[in-house]
């Protein structure tokens, strides 16, 4: 298997690069469900309160494996966050017998177990592993790629990967696609931030939006289908530092891997 270094960029949305056309295509794409899912919230599961700040929607329809794995207490959730105090979703999944691993570089100990099913790890998931030969990287020894963590933990599958990583999501997603790690994941629930390009994403505005769009199309090629979009109206309504396109700076997107068993 050949190693891929770059994702395949989609053709421009218009004959000459245009931010208007790119933004229009991208926003339409993230706002359009590709597959319908009737049961998307945890209210049907025990221990979930309506007070959760955000709808972290997962697909609990019978035709996908997640609901069966929750019932048989075999599900696994990885949650990537940065000191976010809203862990209602994780607690609810743990209360329903899922093995929950929360990765957050701000916690005090290397590993903390809370109850039978919930673990906190002082680790930040990144799009590259630290290079021990570079002094500056030693400061970031709590930073690892998701594929590396899966190998170290001996986990081959994640039923749900939830990520709220404050603009690192684009490069992390790219890494998961390039290294085929997405194929080990059943559902993705990602908060995406579009008020600026994101960490280490370069280029002019139209190039950036084309890259975002191309990344999401790669997910589609890997048999992921978008089933839920939440447009966060409590966040600034910004698109690449501009009040434009009636866009929010933050969306929560949920995909299901339709090939995943």
């Amino acid at each position: 298997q050949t190693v891929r270094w770059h994702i395949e960029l989609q053709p421009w949305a218009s004959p000459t690069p245009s931010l208007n056309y790119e933004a229009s295509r991208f926003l339409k794409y993230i706002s359009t469900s590709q597959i319908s899912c009737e049961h998307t919230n945890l209210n049907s599961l025990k221990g979930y309160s309506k007070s959760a700040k955000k709808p972290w929607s997962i697909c609990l329809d019978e035709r996908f494996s997640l609901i069966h794995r929750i019932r048989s207490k075999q599900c696994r959730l990885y949650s990537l966050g940065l000191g976010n105090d809203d862990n209602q979703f994780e607690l609810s999944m743990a209360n329903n017998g899922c093995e929950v691993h929360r990765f957050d570089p701000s916690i005090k100990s290397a590993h903390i177990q809370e109850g039978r099913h919930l673990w906190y790890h002082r680790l930040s998931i990144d799009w590259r592993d630290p290079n021990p030969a570079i002094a500056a990287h030693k400061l970031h020894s709590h930073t690892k790629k998701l594929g590396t963590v899966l190998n170290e933990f001996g986990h081959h599958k994640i039923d749900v990967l939830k990520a709220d990583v404050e603009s690192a999501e684009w490069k992390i997603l790219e890494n998961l696609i390039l290294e085929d790690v997405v194929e080990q994941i059943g559902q993705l629930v990602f908060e995406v931030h579009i008020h600026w390009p994101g960490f280490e994403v370069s280029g002019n505005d139209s190039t950036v939006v084309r890259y975002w769009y191309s990344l999401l199309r790669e997910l589609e090629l890997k048999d992921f289908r978008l089933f839920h979009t939440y447009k966060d109206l409590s966040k600034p309504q910004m698109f690449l530092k501009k009040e434009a396109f009636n866009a929010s700076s933050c969306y929560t997107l949920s995909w299901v891997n339709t090939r995943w068993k």
Side-chain angles (χ1 to χ4, degrees), residues 177-231:
I177 290 165
L178 291 177
E179 297 192 352
D180 290 326
V181 176
V182 285
E183 289 165 15
Q184 296 171 258
I185 300 168
Q187 297 192 23
L188 288 169
V189 191
F190 265 61
E191 190 170 277
V192 299
H193 301 85
I194 59 177
H195 57 291
W196 70 293
F199 290 108
E200 292 195 21
V201 177
S202 57
N204 62 24
D205 286 355
S206 50
T207 305
V208 165
V209 183
R210 180 194 185 199
Y211 163 75
W212 290 344
Y213 174 72
S214 301
L215 260 183
L216 302 188
R217 286 299 304 273
E218 289 257 359
L219 279 180
E220 197 181 329
L221 292 172
K222 299 262 189 193
D223 297 296
F224 280 84
R225 297 292 178 267
L226 186 69
F227 65 86
H228 190 267
T229 301
Y230 168 69
K231 178 180 180 179

Side-chain angles (χ1 to χ4, degrees), residues 21-200:
Y21 278 100
E22 294 305 321
S24 167
R25 175 172 72 170
F26 172 76
L27 289 167
K28 182 180 179 193
Y29 192 79
I30 65 169
S31 307
T32 309
S33 293
Q34 298 168 335
I35 197 167
S36 69
C37 182
E38 286 174 38
H39 308 284
T40 59
N41 63 22
L42 292 169
N43 295 350
S44 53
L45 303 178
K46 66 175 192 272
Y48 191 69
S49 82
K50 287 269 201 314
S51 65
K53 295 177 192 159
K54 282 201 193 84
W56 296 101
S57 295
I58 50 179
C59 189
L60 297 167
D61 285 8
E62 296 285 338
R63 63 192 161 133
F64 298 120
S65 65
L66 181 58
I67 187 64
H68 306 287
R69 293 172 71 87
I70 289 174
R71 285 183 193 134
S72 63
K73 307 270 189 273
Q74 289 184 311
C75 63
R76 179 180 293 133
L77 164 72
Y78 269 33
S79 167
L80 320 182
L82 295 167
N84 187 338
D85 56 357
D86 181 18
N87 61 355
Q88 193 67 50
F89 178 78
E90 290 80 352
L91 290 171
S92 174
M93 293 291 274
N95 288 341
N96 281 279
C98 287
E99 177 189 328
V100 176
H101 296 273
R102 176 137 171 91
F103 297 89
D104 180 347
S106 68
I107 64 164
K108 304 215 169 17
S109 309
H111 304 283
I112 300 170
Q113 184 173 356
E114 253 184 39
R116 279 180 57 199
H117 301 291
L118 179 60
W119 286 265
Y120 290 88
H121 307 282
R122 190 174 58 204
L123 271 176
S124 167
I125 302 300
D126 200 32
W127 52 94
R128 64 207 150 190
D129 286 326
N131 180 343
I134 300 174
H137 283 203
K138 291 200 171 92
L139 302 171
H140 303 286
S141 56
H142 298 320
T143 299
K144 290 179 179 171
K145 293 189 295 193
L146 187 67
T148 304
V149 172
L150 284 170
N151 289 337
E152 288 179 1
F153 284 21
H155 294 162
H156 303 291
K157 288 188 166 180
I158 306 172
D159 292 280
V160 181
L161 175 64
K162 171 198 165 195
D164 177 3
V165 287
E166 307 301 339
S167 301
E169 64 274 357
W170 300 111
K171 295 301 284 185
I172 289 173
L173 204 49
E174 181 184 61
N175 169 255
L176 300 184
I177 290 165
L178 291 177
E179 297 192 352
D180 290 326
V181 176
V182 285
E183 289 165 15
Q184 296 171 258
I185 300 168
Q187 297 192 23
L188 288 169
V189 191
F190 265 61
E191 190 170 277
V192 299
H193 301 85
I194 59 177
H195 57 291
W196 70 293
F199 290 108
E200 292 195 21

